[in-house]
mmCIF file of all heavy atoms in Angstrom:
data_model
loop_
_atom_site.group_PDB
_atom_site.id
_atom_site.type_symbol
_atom_site.label_atom_id
_atom_site.label_comp_id
_atom_site.label_asym_id
_atom_site.label_seq_id
_atom_site.Cartn_x
_atom_site.Cartn_y
_atom_site.Cartn_z
ATOM 1 N N ALA A 413 -90.697 -79.858 24.027
ATOM 2 C CA ALA A 413 -89.824 -78.739 23.675
ATOM 3 C C ALA A 413 -88.729 -78.586 24.718
ATOM 4 O O ALA A 413 -89.011 -78.453 25.908
ATOM 5 C CB ALA A 413 -90.634 -77.449 23.571
ATOM 6 N N VAL A 414 -87.480 -78.644 24.288
ATOM 7 C CA VAL A 414 -86.344 -78.544 25.204
ATOM 8 C C VAL A 414 -86.143 -77.110 25.671
ATOM 9 O O VAL A 414 -85.855 -76.841 26.832
ATOM 10 C CB VAL A 414 -85.061 -79.070 24.522
ATOM 11 C CG1 VAL A 414 -83.850 -78.804 25.395
ATOM 12 C CG2 VAL A 414 -85.200 -80.562 24.248
ATOM 13 N N GLY A 415 -86.325 -76.154 24.760
ATOM 14 C CA GLY A 415 -86.159 -74.748 25.127
ATOM 15 C C GLY A 415 -84.710 -74.397 25.390
ATOM 16 O O GLY A 415 -83.791 -75.145 25.062
ATOM 17 N N LYS A 416 -84.519 -73.237 26.032
ATOM 18 C CA LYS A 416 -83.165 -72.775 26.295
ATOM 19 C C LYS A 416 -82.990 -72.199 27.693
ATOM 20 O O LYS A 416 -81.904 -71.774 28.046
ATOM 21 C CB LYS A 416 -82.772 -71.722 25.245
ATOM 22 C CG LYS A 416 -83.725 -70.536 25.178
ATOM 23 C CD LYS A 416 -83.332 -69.549 24.101
ATOM 24 C CE LYS A 416 -83.641 -70.030 22.707
ATOM 25 N NZ LYS A 416 -85.072 -70.112 22.380
ATOM 26 N N SER A 417 -84.057 -72.167 28.493
ATOM 27 C CA SER A 417 -83.969 -71.565 29.825
ATOM 28 C C SER A 417 -83.047 -72.372 30.723
ATOM 29 O O SER A 417 -83.007 -73.599 30.653
ATOM 30 C CB SER A 417 -85.354 -71.485 30.472
ATOM 31 O OG SER A 417 -85.842 -72.777 30.767
ATOM 32 N N HIS A 418 -82.324 -71.679 31.595
ATOM 33 C CA HIS A 418 -81.445 -72.377 32.531
ATOM 34 C C HIS A 418 -82.265 -73.232 33.483
ATOM 35 O O HIS A 418 -81.847 -74.338 33.855
ATOM 36 C CB HIS A 418 -80.606 -71.377 33.325
ATOM 37 C CG HIS A 418 -79.744 -72.033 34.370
ATOM 38 N ND1 HIS A 418 -78.561 -72.677 34.054
ATOM 39 C CD2 HIS A 418 -79.927 -72.195 35.700
ATOM 40 C CE1 HIS A 418 -78.049 -73.196 35.156
ATOM 41 N NE2 HIS A 418 -78.852 -72.912 36.164
ATOM 42 N N ALA A 419 -83.442 -72.738 33.885
ATOM 43 C CA ALA A 419 -84.283 -73.471 34.837
ATOM 44 C C ALA A 419 -84.591 -74.870 34.332
ATOM 45 O O ALA A 419 -84.527 -75.842 35.088
ATOM 46 C CB ALA A 419 -85.579 -72.699 35.093
ATOM 47 N N PHE A 420 -84.920 -74.997 33.032
ATOM 48 C CA PHE A 420 -85.276 -76.314 32.507
ATOM 49 C C PHE A 420 -84.058 -77.099 32.055
ATOM 50 O O PHE A 420 -84.043 -78.327 32.154
ATOM 51 C CB PHE A 420 -86.267 -76.167 31.353
ATOM 52 C CG PHE A 420 -86.936 -77.467 30.986
ATOM 53 C CD1 PHE A 420 -87.641 -78.186 31.940
ATOM 54 C CD2 PHE A 420 -86.860 -77.974 29.710
ATOM 55 C CE1 PHE A 420 -88.248 -79.398 31.620
ATOM 56 C CE2 PHE A 420 -87.458 -79.172 29.369
ATOM 57 C CZ PHE A 420 -88.161 -79.886 30.331
ATOM 58 N N GLN A 421 -83.021 -76.407 31.569
ATOM 59 C CA GLN A 421 -81.810 -77.114 31.154
ATOM 60 C C GLN A 421 -81.181 -77.859 32.326
ATOM 61 O O GLN A 421 -80.653 -78.967 32.172
ATOM 62 C CB GLN A 421 -80.796 -76.131 30.552
ATOM 63 C CG GLN A 421 -81.226 -75.523 29.226
ATOM 64 C CD GLN A 421 -81.484 -76.565 28.158
ATOM 65 O OE1 GLN A 421 -80.689 -77.486 27.960
ATOM 66 N NE2 GLN A 421 -82.606 -76.446 27.476
ATOM 67 N N SER A 422 -81.222 -77.265 33.530
ATOM 68 C CA SER A 422 -80.648 -77.935 34.707
ATOM 69 C C SER A 422 -81.437 -79.189 35.050
ATOM 70 O O SER A 422 -80.862 -80.192 35.489
ATOM 71 C CB SER A 422 -80.616 -76.982 35.906
ATOM 72 O OG SER A 422 -81.926 -76.577 36.268
ATOM 73 N N VAL A 423 -82.763 -79.169 34.822
ATOM 74 C CA VAL A 423 -83.594 -80.362 35.055
ATOM 75 C C VAL A 423 -83.216 -81.454 34.057
ATOM 76 O O VAL A 423 -83.088 -82.632 34.416
ATOM 77 C CB VAL A 423 -85.095 -80.024 34.932
ATOM 78 C CG1 VAL A 423 -85.948 -81.279 35.114
ATOM 79 C CG2 VAL A 423 -85.495 -78.984 35.958
ATOM 80 N N LEU A 424 -83.029 -81.074 32.804
ATOM 81 C CA LEU A 424 -82.669 -82.054 31.768
ATOM 82 C C LEU A 424 -81.324 -82.707 32.064
ATOM 83 O O LEU A 424 -81.138 -83.907 31.828
ATOM 84 C CB LEU A 424 -82.636 -81.379 30.400
ATOM 85 C CG LEU A 424 -83.981 -80.865 29.859
ATOM 86 C CD1 LEU A 424 -83.777 -80.162 28.521
ATOM 87 C CD2 LEU A 424 -84.973 -82.000 29.718
ATOM 88 N N LYS A 425 -80.384 -81.930 32.588
ATOM 89 C CA LYS A 425 -79.073 -82.489 32.928
ATOM 90 C C LYS A 425 -79.194 -83.530 34.030
ATOM 91 O O LYS A 425 -78.557 -84.583 33.990
ATOM 92 C CB LYS A 425 -78.109 -81.374 33.340
ATOM 93 C CG LYS A 425 -77.620 -80.524 32.178
ATOM 94 C CD LYS A 425 -76.721 -79.407 32.663
ATOM 95 C CE LYS A 425 -76.318 -78.481 31.525
ATOM 96 N NZ LYS A 425 -75.517 -77.341 31.990
ATOM 97 N N ARG A 426 -80.014 -83.219 35.046
ATOM 98 C CA ARG A 426 -80.225 -84.194 36.132
ATOM 99 C C ARG A 426 -80.934 -85.439 35.603
ATOM 100 O O ARG A 426 -80.603 -86.565 35.977
ATOM 101 C CB ARG A 426 -81.041 -83.571 37.267
ATOM 102 C CG ARG A 426 -80.229 -82.713 38.209
ATOM 103 C CD ARG A 426 -81.064 -82.203 39.369
ATOM 104 N NE ARG A 426 -81.631 -83.258 40.184
ATOM 105 C CZ ARG A 426 -80.981 -83.945 41.121
ATOM 106 N NH1 ARG A 426 -79.709 -83.697 41.353
ATOM 107 N NH2 ARG A 426 -81.585 -84.895 41.813
ATOM 108 N N ALA A 427 -81.904 -85.241 34.719
ATOM 109 C CA ALA A 427 -82.641 -86.375 34.152
ATOM 110 C C ALA A 427 -81.720 -87.270 33.330
ATOM 111 O O ALA A 427 -81.826 -88.497 33.372
ATOM 112 C CB ALA A 427 -83.796 -85.865 33.297
ATOM 113 N N GLU A 428 -80.795 -86.651 32.590
ATOM 114 C CA GLU A 428 -79.869 -87.422 31.759
ATOM 115 C C GLU A 428 -79.003 -88.344 32.606
ATOM 116 O O GLU A 428 -78.709 -89.477 32.220
ATOM 117 C CB GLU A 428 -78.997 -86.477 30.939
ATOM 118 C CG GLU A 428 -78.099 -87.188 29.942
ATOM 119 C CD GLU A 428 -77.373 -86.235 29.019
ATOM 120 O OE1 GLU A 428 -77.363 -85.026 29.300
ATOM 121 O OE2 GLU A 428 -76.834 -86.713 28.015
ATOM 122 N N LYS A 429 -78.608 -87.874 33.800
ATOM 123 C CA LYS A 429 -77.811 -88.711 34.695
ATOM 124 C C LYS A 429 -78.605 -89.928 35.156
ATOM 125 O O LYS A 429 -78.049 -91.011 35.351
ATOM 126 C CB LYS A 429 -77.344 -87.898 35.902
ATOM 127 C CG LYS A 429 -76.346 -86.798 35.559
ATOM 128 C CD LYS A 429 -75.995 -85.966 36.768
ATOM 129 C CE LYS A 429 -75.046 -84.826 36.414
ATOM 130 N NZ LYS A 429 -74.732 -83.967 37.576
ATOM 131 N N ALA A 430 -79.921 -89.755 35.322
ATOM 132 C CA ALA A 430 -80.757 -90.845 35.814
ATOM 133 C C ALA A 430 -80.963 -91.931 34.766
ATOM 134 O O ALA A 430 -81.282 -93.073 35.102
ATOM 135 C CB ALA A 430 -82.107 -90.299 36.270
ATOM 136 N N VAL A 431 -80.798 -91.587 33.495
ATOM 137 C CA VAL A 431 -81.023 -92.538 32.410
ATOM 138 C C VAL A 431 -80.068 -93.725 32.504
ATOM 139 O O VAL A 431 -80.416 -94.850 32.145
ATOM 140 C CB VAL A 431 -80.875 -91.827 31.041
ATOM 141 C CG1 VAL A 431 -80.722 -92.832 29.912
ATOM 142 C CG2 VAL A 431 -82.068 -90.929 30.791
ATOM 143 N N HIS A 432 -78.871 -93.477 33.025
ATOM 144 C CA HIS A 432 -77.838 -94.510 33.031
ATOM 145 C C HIS A 432 -77.892 -95.394 34.281
ATOM 146 O O HIS A 432 -76.969 -96.155 34.543
ATOM 147 C CB HIS A 432 -76.460 -93.865 32.903
ATOM 148 C CG HIS A 432 -76.337 -93.000 31.689
ATOM 149 N ND1 HIS A 432 -76.246 -93.515 30.422
ATOM 150 C CD2 HIS A 432 -76.334 -91.652 31.540
ATOM 151 C CE1 HIS A 432 -76.170 -92.526 29.540
ATOM 152 N NE2 HIS A 432 -76.229 -91.385 30.199
ATOM 153 N N SER A 433 -78.966 -95.287 35.067
ATOM 154 C CA SER A 433 -79.123 -96.150 36.240
ATOM 155 C C SER A 433 -80.601 -96.475 36.409
ATOM 156 O O SER A 433 -81.449 -96.013 35.646
ATOM 157 C CB SER A 433 -78.603 -95.442 37.500
ATOM 158 O OG SER A 433 -79.501 -94.409 37.892
ATOM 159 N N SER A 434 -80.912 -97.287 37.410
ATOM 160 C CA SER A 434 -82.307 -97.641 37.690
ATOM 161 C C SER A 434 -82.795 -96.943 38.954
ATOM 162 O O SER A 434 -83.697 -97.431 39.636
ATOM 163 C CB SER A 434 -82.438 -99.163 37.842
ATOM 164 O OG SER A 434 -81.575 -99.630 38.877
ATOM 165 N N VAL A 435 -82.206 -95.802 39.300
ATOM 166 C CA VAL A 435 -82.529 -95.083 40.529
ATOM 167 C C VAL A 435 -84.014 -94.706 40.565
ATOM 168 O O VAL A 435 -84.627 -94.396 39.558
ATOM 169 C CB VAL A 435 -81.645 -93.812 40.652
ATOM 170 C CG1 VAL A 435 -81.958 -92.819 39.542
ATOM 171 C CG2 VAL A 435 -81.804 -93.168 42.013
ATOM 172 N N THR A 436 -84.593 -94.762 41.761
ATOM 173 C CA THR A 436 -85.979 -94.353 41.964
ATOM 174 C C THR A 436 -86.066 -92.826 41.873
ATOM 175 O O THR A 436 -85.268 -92.121 42.488
ATOM 176 C CB THR A 436 -86.488 -94.826 43.339
ATOM 177 O OG1 THR A 436 -86.454 -96.260 43.363
ATOM 178 C CG2 THR A 436 -87.907 -94.356 43.601
ATOM 179 N N ILE A 437 -87.032 -92.336 41.122
ATOM 180 C CA ILE A 437 -87.132 -90.902 40.826
ATOM 181 C C ILE A 437 -88.446 -90.345 41.355
ATOM 182 O O ILE A 437 -89.499 -90.974 41.227
ATOM 183 C CB ILE A 437 -87.041 -90.665 39.301
ATOM 184 C CG1 ILE A 437 -85.689 -91.157 38.761
ATOM 185 C CG2 ILE A 437 -87.251 -89.194 38.952
ATOM 186 C CD1 ILE A 437 -85.615 -91.190 37.255
ATOM 187 N N HIS A 438 -88.379 -89.151 41.954
ATOM 188 C CA HIS A 438 -89.600 -88.429 42.323
ATOM 189 C C HIS A 438 -89.616 -87.093 41.598
ATOM 190 O O HIS A 438 -88.670 -86.306 41.693
ATOM 191 C CB HIS A 438 -89.681 -88.184 43.830
ATOM 192 C CG HIS A 438 -90.919 -87.416 44.214
ATOM 193 N ND1 HIS A 438 -92.162 -87.998 44.205
ATOM 194 C CD2 HIS A 438 -91.105 -86.116 44.563
ATOM 195 C CE1 HIS A 438 -93.065 -87.095 44.555
ATOM 196 N NE2 HIS A 438 -92.449 -85.942 44.768
ATOM 197 N N ILE A 439 -90.700 -86.844 40.850
ATOM 198 C CA ILE A 439 -90.825 -85.619 40.067
ATOM 199 C C ILE A 439 -91.864 -84.719 40.733
ATOM 200 O O ILE A 439 -93.017 -85.113 40.901
ATOM 201 C CB ILE A 439 -91.250 -85.917 38.617
ATOM 202 C CG1 ILE A 439 -90.303 -86.942 37.980
ATOM 203 C CG2 ILE A 439 -91.286 -84.643 37.789
ATOM 204 C CD1 ILE A 439 -90.737 -87.417 36.603
ATOM 205 N N SER A 440 -91.438 -83.535 41.116
ATOM 206 C CA SER A 440 -92.355 -82.573 41.717
ATOM 207 C C SER A 440 -92.588 -81.418 40.756
ATOM 208 O O SER A 440 -91.814 -81.207 39.823
ATOM 209 C CB SER A 440 -91.796 -82.051 43.044
ATOM 210 O OG SER A 440 -90.552 -81.399 42.840
ATOM 211 N N GLY A 441 -93.659 -80.681 40.992
ATOM 212 C CA GLY A 441 -93.966 -79.539 40.136
ATOM 213 C C GLY A 441 -95.448 -79.258 40.120
ATOM 214 O O GLY A 441 -96.267 -80.128 40.440
ATOM 215 N N GLU A 442 -95.792 -78.044 39.752
ATOM 216 C CA GLU A 442 -97.195 -77.660 39.689
ATOM 217 C C GLU A 442 -97.932 -78.458 38.618
ATOM 218 O O GLU A 442 -97.323 -79.054 37.737
ATOM 219 C CB GLU A 442 -97.312 -76.163 39.387
ATOM 220 C CG GLU A 442 -96.741 -75.264 40.467
ATOM 221 C CD GLU A 442 -96.806 -73.794 40.087
ATOM 222 O OE1 GLU A 442 -97.434 -73.462 39.054
ATOM 223 O OE2 GLU A 442 -96.236 -72.969 40.828
ATOM 224 N N THR A 443 -99.251 -78.454 38.700
ATOM 225 C CA THR A 443 -100.073 -79.111 37.687
ATOM 226 C C THR A 443 -99.800 -78.507 36.312
ATOM 227 O O THR A 443 -99.719 -77.287 36.163
ATOM 228 C CB THR A 443 -101.564 -78.941 38.029
ATOM 229 O OG1 THR A 443 -101.811 -79.552 39.288
ATOM 230 C CG2 THR A 443 -102.449 -79.583 36.982
ATOM 231 N N GLY A 444 -99.615 -79.397 35.328
ATOM 232 C CA GLY A 444 -99.437 -78.930 33.958
ATOM 233 C C GLY A 444 -98.027 -78.596 33.555
ATOM 234 O O GLY A 444 -97.807 -77.999 32.504
ATOM 235 N N THR A 445 -97.022 -78.984 34.387
ATOM 236 C CA THR A 445 -95.631 -78.647 34.050
ATOM 237 C C THR A 445 -94.937 -79.731 33.229
ATOM 238 O O THR A 445 -93.799 -79.539 32.806
ATOM 239 C CB THR A 445 -94.814 -78.387 35.331
ATOM 240 O OG1 THR A 445 -95.022 -79.471 36.249
ATOM 241 C CG2 THR A 445 -95.231 -77.089 35.993
ATOM 242 N N GLY A 446 -95.598 -80.884 33.007
ATOM 243 C CA GLY A 446 -95.014 -81.925 32.156
ATOM 244 C C GLY A 446 -94.345 -83.047 32.919
ATOM 245 O O GLY A 446 -93.370 -83.633 32.433
ATOM 246 N N LYS A 447 -94.876 -83.388 34.091
ATOM 247 C CA LYS A 447 -94.236 -84.435 34.904
ATOM 248 C C LYS A 447 -94.310 -85.803 34.228
ATOM 249 O O LYS A 447 -93.332 -86.553 34.222
ATOM 250 C CB LYS A 447 -94.894 -84.476 36.298
ATOM 251 C CG LYS A 447 -94.707 -83.193 37.103
ATOM 252 C CD LYS A 447 -95.222 -83.317 38.515
ATOM 253 C CE LYS A 447 -96.720 -83.326 38.604
ATOM 254 N NZ LYS A 447 -97.330 -82.032 38.225
ATOM 255 N N GLU A 448 -95.461 -86.139 33.636
ATOM 256 C CA GLU A 448 -95.565 -87.445 32.983
ATOM 257 C C GLU A 448 -94.726 -87.495 31.708
ATOM 258 O O GLU A 448 -94.155 -88.539 31.379
ATOM 259 C CB GLU A 448 -97.027 -87.778 32.660
ATOM 260 C CG GLU A 448 -97.168 -89.173 32.052
ATOM 261 C CD GLU A 448 -98.594 -89.682 31.965
ATOM 262 O OE1 GLU A 448 -99.507 -89.045 32.531
ATOM 263 O OE2 GLU A 448 -98.791 -90.751 31.344
ATOM 264 N N VAL A 449 -94.627 -86.390 30.995
ATOM 265 C CA VAL A 449 -93.775 -86.348 29.798
ATOM 266 C C VAL A 449 -92.320 -86.628 30.189
ATOM 267 O O VAL A 449 -91.606 -87.365 29.500
ATOM 268 C CB VAL A 449 -93.881 -84.987 29.089
ATOM 269 C CG1 VAL A 449 -92.940 -84.925 27.891
ATOM 270 C CG2 VAL A 449 -95.310 -84.735 28.635
ATOM 271 N N MET A 450 -91.888 -86.052 31.317
ATOM 272 C CA MET A 450 -90.531 -86.306 31.796
ATOM 273 C C MET A 450 -90.352 -87.777 32.164
ATOM 274 O O MET A 450 -89.342 -88.400 31.811
ATOM 275 C CB MET A 450 -90.219 -85.415 33.002
ATOM 276 C CG MET A 450 -88.861 -85.682 33.641
ATOM 277 S SD MET A 450 -87.471 -85.430 32.500
ATOM 278 C CE MET A 450 -87.390 -83.635 32.492
ATOM 279 N N ALA A 451 -91.330 -88.346 32.876
ATOM 280 C CA ALA A 451 -91.240 -89.761 33.275
ATOM 281 C C ALA A 451 -91.155 -90.660 32.047
ATOM 282 O O ALA A 451 -90.334 -91.583 31.982
ATOM 283 C CB ALA A 451 -92.443 -90.138 34.135
ATOM 284 N N ARG A 452 -92.005 -90.397 31.061
ATOM 285 C CA ARG A 452 -92.009 -91.196 29.830
ATOM 286 C C ARG A 452 -90.686 -91.035 29.070
ATOM 287 O O ARG A 452 -90.147 -92.004 28.520
ATOM 288 C CB ARG A 452 -93.181 -90.741 28.952
ATOM 289 C CG ARG A 452 -93.173 -91.249 27.545
ATOM 290 C CD ARG A 452 -93.559 -92.694 27.407
ATOM 291 N NE ARG A 452 -94.964 -92.936 27.659
ATOM 292 C CZ ARG A 452 -95.548 -94.120 27.466
ATOM 293 N NH1 ARG A 452 -94.834 -95.145 27.012
ATOM 294 N NH2 ARG A 452 -96.826 -94.294 27.743
ATOM 295 N N SER A 453 -90.139 -89.824 29.056
ATOM 296 C CA SER A 453 -88.877 -89.570 28.343
ATOM 297 C C SER A 453 -87.729 -90.341 28.972
ATOM 298 O O SER A 453 -86.890 -90.913 28.274
ATOM 299 C CB SER A 453 -88.563 -88.069 28.347
ATOM 300 O OG SER A 453 -89.580 -87.335 27.705
ATOM 301 N N ILE A 454 -87.673 -90.365 30.307
ATOM 302 C CA ILE A 454 -86.621 -91.113 31.007
ATOM 303 C C ILE A 454 -86.750 -92.596 30.696
ATOM 304 O O ILE A 454 -85.764 -93.286 30.400
ATOM 305 C CB ILE A 454 -86.690 -90.857 32.521
ATOM 306 C CG1 ILE A 454 -86.301 -89.405 32.829
ATOM 307 C CG2 ILE A 454 -85.789 -91.830 33.282
ATOM 308 C CD1 ILE A 454 -86.532 -88.998 34.265
ATOM 309 N N HIS A 455 -87.975 -93.098 30.727
ATOM 310 C CA HIS A 455 -88.207 -94.519 30.433
ATOM 311 C C HIS A 455 -87.778 -94.863 29.009
ATOM 312 O O HIS A 455 -87.031 -95.825 28.785
ATOM 313 C CB HIS A 455 -89.685 -94.858 30.627
ATOM 314 C CG HIS A 455 -90.065 -96.196 30.048
ATOM 315 N ND1 HIS A 455 -89.810 -97.384 30.703
ATOM 316 C CD2 HIS A 455 -90.647 -96.535 28.859
ATOM 317 C CE1 HIS A 455 -90.226 -98.397 29.950
ATOM 318 N NE2 HIS A 455 -90.731 -97.904 28.828
ATOM 319 N N ASP A 456 -88.256 -94.092 28.035
ATOM 320 C CA ASP A 456 -87.957 -94.408 26.638
ATOM 321 C C ASP A 456 -86.476 -94.279 26.318
ATOM 322 O O ASP A 456 -85.957 -94.985 25.454
ATOM 323 C CB ASP A 456 -88.768 -93.500 25.712
ATOM 324 C CG ASP A 456 -90.246 -93.891 25.669
ATOM 325 O OD1 ASP A 456 -90.586 -94.951 26.226
ATOM 326 O OD2 ASP A 456 -91.051 -93.134 25.100
#
């Protein structure tokens, strides 16, 4: 779910920039926030 919150929209914008390169990424966040979903989304 993309949602509409600014907190998550800013993360999506940063992630979108990473899609166009092979830069090494580190995803931080509390347990259950969707870190693997983000990693898989960037890969796909």
Side-chain angles (χ1 to χ4, degrees):
V414 173
K416 56 182 74 69
S417 68
H418 176 78
F420 194 57
Q421 292 301 313
S422 62
V423 177
L424 294 177
K425 287 178 185 176
R426 279 184 60 79
E428 186 173 13
K429 293 176 183 178
V431 164
H432 304 287
S433 73
S434 57
V435 65
T436 298
I437 299 170
H438 179 73
I439 307 173
S440 60
E442 296 177 8
T443 299
T445 50
K447 297 187 287 293
E448 183 168 351
V449 177
M450 176 60 77
R452 168 75 71 173
S453 300
I454 292 172
H455 167 80
D456 286 351

